[in-house]
């Protein structure tokens, strides 16, 4: 291995460590606790080393969001693929989405609540975010009603899931009723 390859590998490892540490700290104490000073202390690197990877917290949030989007897409695809029938796939998709949001609140915030400097719904949208949406669309296009554009239908379904996730987490909806809400949402799809 050349010196250049080793340096690139070490750089990538440091970047992964920064993102993982930010994510861990955010899940433990919230995003307000994620500062370059705290990250530098936790990973035992200087603040200038962090700034050589990320210009600031906003970019770190963006990196966590991209990582989370890739994980969410994989979970959605896995849940949908493991289920049988259109209704089963949509139900599994909805459960997987809500479970992910519940297990990873700081990551979910990075993806959808905080400014990570990422473009959504544009040509500049990063691939990981597009994959997250595609994972929803792949299952939902099969249940989109006649005359309804599948992308738009997916947006509305996603918005419903996002609303359920954020309202439940904020204590605005009783957590114990999550399964009944999923069944109601999926049950409203006339074609399922």
């Amino acid at each position: 291995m050349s010196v250049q390859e080793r340096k690139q590998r070490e750089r990538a490892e440091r970047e992964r460590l920064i993102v993982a540490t930010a994510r861990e700290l955010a899940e433990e104490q919230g995003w307000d606790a994620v500062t370059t000073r705290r990250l530098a202390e936790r990973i035992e690197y200087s603040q200038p080393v962090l700034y050589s990877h990320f210009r600031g917290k906003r970019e770190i949030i963006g990196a966590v969001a991209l990582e989370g989007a890739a994980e969410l897409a994989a979970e959605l695809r896995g849940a949908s693929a493991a289920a049988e029938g259109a209704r089963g796939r949509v139900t599994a998709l909805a459960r997987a989405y809500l479970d992910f949001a519940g297990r990873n609140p700081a990551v979910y915030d990075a993806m959808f609540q905080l400014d990570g400097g990422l473009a959504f719904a544009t040509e500049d949208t990063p691939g990981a975010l597009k994959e997250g949406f595609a994972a929803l669309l792949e299952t939902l296009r099969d249940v989109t009603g006649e005359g309804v554009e599948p992308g738009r239908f997916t947006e509305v379904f996603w918005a419903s899931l996002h609303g359920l996730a954020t309202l439940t987490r904020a204590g605005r909806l009783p957590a114990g009723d999550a399964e009944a809400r999923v069944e109601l949402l999926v049950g409203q799809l006339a074609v399922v």
Side-chain angles (χ1 to χ4, degrees):
M1 173 181 305
S2 73
V3 172
Q4 181 64 23
E5 289 172 330
R6 181 184 53 78
K7 285 183 179 184
Q8 287 175 341
R9 188 186 76 239
E10 289 172 352
R11 180 172 177 75
E13 287 172 7
R14 270 194 314 272
E15 196 164 296
R16 279 191 295 277
L17 179 61
I18 293 166
V19 171
T21 304
R23 184 174 173 166
E24 179 183 295
L25 186 57
E27 291 293 359
E28 289 172 3
Q29 300 176 32
W31 279 103
D32 287 343
V34 179
T35 64
T36 54
R37 177 181 295 156
R38 283 184 127 171
L39 287 173
E41 288 171 2
R42 277 211 179 184
I43 64 173
E44 298 177 347
Y45 283 107
S46 66
Q47 284 181 293
V49 170
L50 268 77
Y51 285 117
S52 74
H53 291 274
F54 299 99
R55 284 182 283 190
K57 183 175 177 176
R58 182 177 187 222
E59 284 189 4
I60 294 169
I61 289 169
V64 169
L66 292 174
E67 187 176 272
E71 291 171 14
L72 176 59
E75 287 189 31
L76 295 176
R77 286 185 171 118
S80 182
E84 292 188 26
R87 184 182 182 101
R89 285 189 295 279
V90 174
T91 301
L93 178 87
R95 286 180 184 144
Y97 185 96
L98 295 172
D99 288 348
F100 179 89
R103 281 191 330 271
N104 304 285
V107 174
Y108 193 81
D109 284 351
M111 293 166 64
F112 302 120
Q113 303 290 107
L114 302 174
D115 179 11
L118 304 173
F120 281 81
T122 70
E123 288 183 23
D124 296 334
T125 300
L129 298 180
K130 288 180 181 179
E131 281 301 305
F133 186 78
L136 292 166
L137 179 62
E138 289 161 9
T139 297
L140 295 171
R141 89 167 21 111
D142 294 340
V143 298
T144 301
E146 189 174 321
V148 177
E149 198 278 312
R152 188 91 55 240
F153 177 78
T154 300
E155 290 170 351
V156 171
F157 194 84
W158 173 29
S160 297
L161 292 174
H162 177 70
L164 290 173
T166 55
L167 290 171
T168 300
R169 187 166 136 213
R172 304 300 193 265
L173 298 174
D177 295 338
E179 185 61 32
R181 286 189 203 95
V182 167
E183 290 299 323
L184 180 61
L185 178 61
V186 173
Q188 295 306 303
L189 306 176
V191 292
V192 180

